[in-house]
Amino acid sequence: DAGVIQSPRHEVTEMGQEVTLRCKPISGHDYLFWYRQTMMRGLELLIYFNNNVPIDDSGMPEDRFSAKMPNASFSTLKIQPSEPRDSAVYFCASRGTSGGYEQYFGPGTRLTVT
Amino acid sequence: RKEVEQDPGPFNVPEGATVAFNCTYSNSASQSFFWYRQDCRKEPKLLMSVYSSGNEDGRFTAQLNRASQYISLLIRDSKLSDSATYLCAVNIGTNAGKSTFGDGTTLTVKP
């Protein structure tokens, strides 16, 4: 079975540019999470969706960040305009409703903003 | 105070040693508990769910202490391949939509 798919795996961009990160959750999973990980702040939850609806976006750092989930198999996280302090690894994760609450992470997108 | 706290380590142990990590949580309404393993430059992967009665998977044992609000992970006969960062995660409430992660404990197993 395919796991969570993220693209791109690496992104290098200049300050001020728009960045779009993409995620395809595991088929049948109805929760999707976006995280950011840095050495200084650890793994931070940015936003999560249930059945394509944003449930909690309290972790989104500021208005420059936005996330959408137009359907059950696709989500985007957009940063506009990007800043050097946005440099981090961004993970997408998904989980189902039945069984336990464990999450399955994608390989991440390593973002560098210069 | 953070909702989930871990000793960052690093823990440096020789092969074959037994090592234990603790993770404390602040919210008594926490319902589900997990240990994830994260290798360098990789994504976190579920290692174990932690059940009320404690559970074991090979060399790994996880335990929950609700009274003191912590979970533990014990690794016996540690291998070089156990070197990684171990993250604990806690879900709060019956719906338990999201997990709150600790900052992780780094383990290095040396020959």
Side-chain angles (χ1 to χ4, degrees):
Chain A
D1 288 343
V4 176
I5 298 172
Q6 290 188 249
S7 64
R9 295 291 303 277
H10 301 272
E11 178 81 30
V12 180
T13 191
E14 292 183 349
M15 184 173 66
Q17 296 298 306
E18 178 179 295
V19 174
T20 300
L21 311 182
R22 297 173 176 79
C23 175
K24 176 180 170 56
I26 293 172
S27 177
H29 281 188
D30 48 9
Y31 282 86
L32 183 139
F33 306 83
W34 282 102
Y35 292 90
R36 177 173 68 176
Q37 188 174 41
T38 61
M39 288 293 292
M40 291 298 294
R41 301 176 67 91
L43 191 65
E44 303 175 276
L45 177 66
L46 301 178
I47 185 172
Y48 79 95
F49 297 82
N50 178 217
N51 292 322
N52 313 336
V53 176
I55 302 301
D56 183 349
D57 65 354
S58 59
M60 295 286 262
E62 48 199 274
D63 292 345
R64 296 185 298 107
F65 286 69
S66 62
K68 293 181 179 179
M69 192 164 185
N71 57 62
S73 58
F74 184 66
S75 177
T76 60
L77 178 68
K78 187 174 293 187
I79 308 172
Q80 166 64 19
S82 57
E83 296 182 4
R85 60 192 168 121
D86 301 330
S87 298
V89 180
Y90 291 80
F91 289 107
C92 176
S94 70
R95 74 163 179 87
T97 303
S98 58
Y101 296 122
E102 60 270 16
Q103 296 180 20
Y104 297 84
F105 284 77
T109 295
R110 187 169 295 274
L111 174 66
T112 303
V113 184
T114 62
Chain B
R1 183 186 174 189
K2 288 186 176 182
E3 288 185 57
V4 179
E5 292 197 80
Q6 296 183 248
D7 181 345
F11 284 65
N12 297 307
V13 302
E15 266 186 298
T18 295
V19 62
F21 311 133
N22 280 346
C23 168
T24 58
Y25 59 94
S26 60
N27 193 322
S28 59
S30 300
Q31 294 289 331
S32 304
F33 309 89
F34 309 92
W35 284 103
Y36 287 78
R37 171 192 168 128
Q38 186 173 23
D39 293 295
C40 186
R41 301 180 75 85
K42 298 286 189 180
E43 72 272 24
K45 292 184 178 179
L46 181 70
L47 178 66
M48 297 177 76
S49 301
V50 186
Y51 304 120
S52 309
S53 56
N55 45 303
E56 188 174 307
D57 183 3
R59 299 181 294 109
F60 298 82
T61 300
Q63 291 198 312
L64 167 64
N65 185 318
R66 286 192 183 272
S68 300
Q69 295 185 196
Y70 74 85
I71 61 173
S72 64
L73 178 67
L74 181 77
I75 306 175
R76 290 181 298 278
D77 188 23
S78 53
K79 312 290 185 190
L80 297 176
S81 57
D82 294 334
S83 298
T85 296
Y86 291 84
L87 303 165
C88 67
V90 174
N91 285 37
I92 298 170
T94 54
N95 187 24
K98 65 179 183 180
S99 293
T100 300
F101 283 81
D103 289 339
T105 298
T106 299
L107 171 66
T108 301
V109 181
K110 299 186 175 181

